[in-house]
Amino acid sequence: MLDIGFLELMLIGIVSLLVLGPERLPKAARTAGMWIGKIKRTVSGMQREISAQLEAEELRQKLNEQQKKLDDSLTKVKQDVESIADSSPANTSTPAAQHETEQRVASASARLDDALQTVREDANSTDLHNADLEKADLKKADVKKDSNHQ
């Protein structure tokens, strides 16, 4: 950012000593330090807030992707169940047809189980994410409270 070397700092110190005098220089340095500290705290607070927003956006995208996968899985299961239901009972009279129907039912059941497991995992990750967001909000409130006291 600012490229200030030792000579520049020494020049600023000498000029400020000449302009302000030895009585007002310590108070001016203290005031300048307080302003610099406030600026640094503000910038770091903004950086934390931006990173929290980016993390929240990433989590939203992941949740949307998981929702899309879940919807696709449920659509496939629905189609499987409908195709099993649409198959005529007369076709299942042979052992081969019954075996094929059982395989289709097992496949649909497995897909449904996978979809339900995905829902459970998404619910757990969402609960963890919500808890993390609540903790972050509490930390922000504590930081604001601390900065107001200073």
Side-chain angles (χ1 to χ4, degrees):
M1 281 179 40
L2 297 175
D3 189 22
I4 299 176
F6 179 72
L7 291 176
E8 287 90 359
L9 286 175
M10 200 160 97
L11 182 65
I12 291 171
I14 292 171
V15 170
S16 60
L17 181 61
L18 292 174
V19 172
L20 296 174
E23 296 86 26
R24 290 187 290 173
L25 183 62
K27 185 176 179 182
R30 202 171 18 255
T31 304
M34 286 177 25
W35 278 98
I36 290 171
K38 284 183 181 181
I39 291 170
K40 284 183 179 181
R41 282 191 297 273
T42 302
V43 168
S44 67
M46 286 181 191
Q47 287 175 341
R48 281 193 305 265
E49 197 169 312
I50 289 170
S51 66
Q53 290 294 328
L54 289 175
E55 288 178 17
E57 184 61 32
E58 288 175 8
L59 287 173
R60 281 188 202 102
Q61 288 177 352
K62 287 180 182 179
L63 286 175
N64 288 338
E65 290 173 7
Q66 290 296 324
Q67 183 66 39
K68 189 174 181 179
K69 288 179 185 178
L70 177 63
D71 290 343
D72 292 343
S73 298
L74 289 176
T75 302
K76 288 178 185 177
V77 169
K78 183 179 176 184
Q79 290 172 352
D80 288 345
V81 169
E82 288 174 352
S83 69
I84 291 169
D86 289 344
S87 65
S88 65
N91 290 346
T92 60
S93 61
T94 64
Q98 286 179 347
H99 182 68
E100 180 183 341
T101 302
E102 288 174 2
Q103 285 180 341
R104 290 169 62 193
V105 167
S107 173
S109 176
R111 285 187 186 152
L112 183 59
D113 289 341
D114 290 343
L116 290 174
Q117 182 64 30
T118 303
V119 168
R120 288 185 193 110
E121 289 172 358
D122 287 347
N124 288 338
S125 67
T126 302
D127 291 342
L128 291 174
H129 171 65
N130 288 338
D132 289 343
L133 288 178
E134 289 174 9
K135 287 179 186 177
D137 289 341
L138 289 174
K139 285 182 183 178
K140 284 181 187 176
D142 288 342
V143 168
K144 285 182 182 177
K145 197 184 308 180
D146 289 342
S147 65
N148 289 338
H149 289 293
Q150 292 177 356

